[in-house]
């Protein structure tokens, strides 16, 4: 989510992040993180996105010299990945044999990707 003001419409925050602001706090799936004045926030047209992001654990980066912030995905427990499971794909190996990522489960592998653009 990119913002140029700390206060944003609650609906925009919810749509961009997937976190719903409810009376019990900020909720996503079965996880709810208590927020100070959560009941007031649910009725508010706008919320302090930077304050809520800090409580939830969303990483925030500010562009130096600009009033512009990037808010990343949740980092609950200081982990940035929600899951460490990669999508399965199939590619040829160096000998031309077809190999899928899922067939390597339990092994250490290196995936090297390159694009000419």
């Amino acid at each position: 989510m990119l913002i140029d003001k700390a206060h944003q419409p609650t609906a925009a925050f919810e749509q961009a992040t997937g976190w719903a602001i409810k009376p019990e706090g900020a909720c996503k799936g079965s996880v709810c993180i208590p927020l100070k004045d959560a009941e007031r926030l649910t009725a508010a047209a706008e919320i302090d996105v930077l304050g809520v992001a800090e409580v939830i654990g969303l990483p925030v980066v500010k562009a130096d010299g600009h009033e512009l912030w990037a808010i990343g995905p949740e980092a609950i427990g200081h982990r940035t990945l929600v899951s460490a499971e990669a999508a399965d794909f199939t590619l040829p190996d160096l000998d031309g044999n077809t190999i899928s990522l899922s067939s390597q489960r339990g092994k250490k592998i290196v995936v090297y990707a390159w694009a000419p653009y």
Side-chain angles (χ1 to χ4, degrees):
M1 175 178 199
L2 295 174
I3 60 172
D4 58 0
K5 291 179 272 193
H7 286 80
Q8 296 288 319
T10 303
F13 174 80
E14 291 175 333
Q15 184 178 10
T17 64
W19 286 89
I21 305 301
K22 299 181 178 181
E24 55 268 37
C27 301
K28 189 172 192 179
S30 62
V31 174
C32 282
I33 298 174
L35 296 174
K36 183 178 180 183
D37 299 328
E39 288 185 15
R40 184 187 56 78
L41 290 175
T42 54
E46 291 190 341
I47 61 171
D48 175 9
V49 174
L50 301 177
V52 172
E54 182 179 350
V55 173
I56 295 175
L58 301 177
V60 177
V61 177
K62 184 177 190 278
D64 288 334
H66 303 281
E67 292 297 309
L68 186 63
W69 295 268
I71 300 172
E74 62 270 359
I76 297 172
H78 303 289
R79 294 185 197 154
T80 56
L81 295 176
V82 174
S83 167
E85 189 168 321
D88 193 28
F89 57 87
T90 303
L91 295 170
D93 67 10
L94 295 174
D95 297 322
N97 301 313
T98 302
I99 189 165
S100 66
L101 182 62
S102 61
S103 70
Q104 303 303 302
R105 186 171 305 279
K107 299 177 184 177
K108 293 181 181 180
I109 62 167
V110 173
V111 177
Y112 176 77
W114 176 81
Y117 53 88

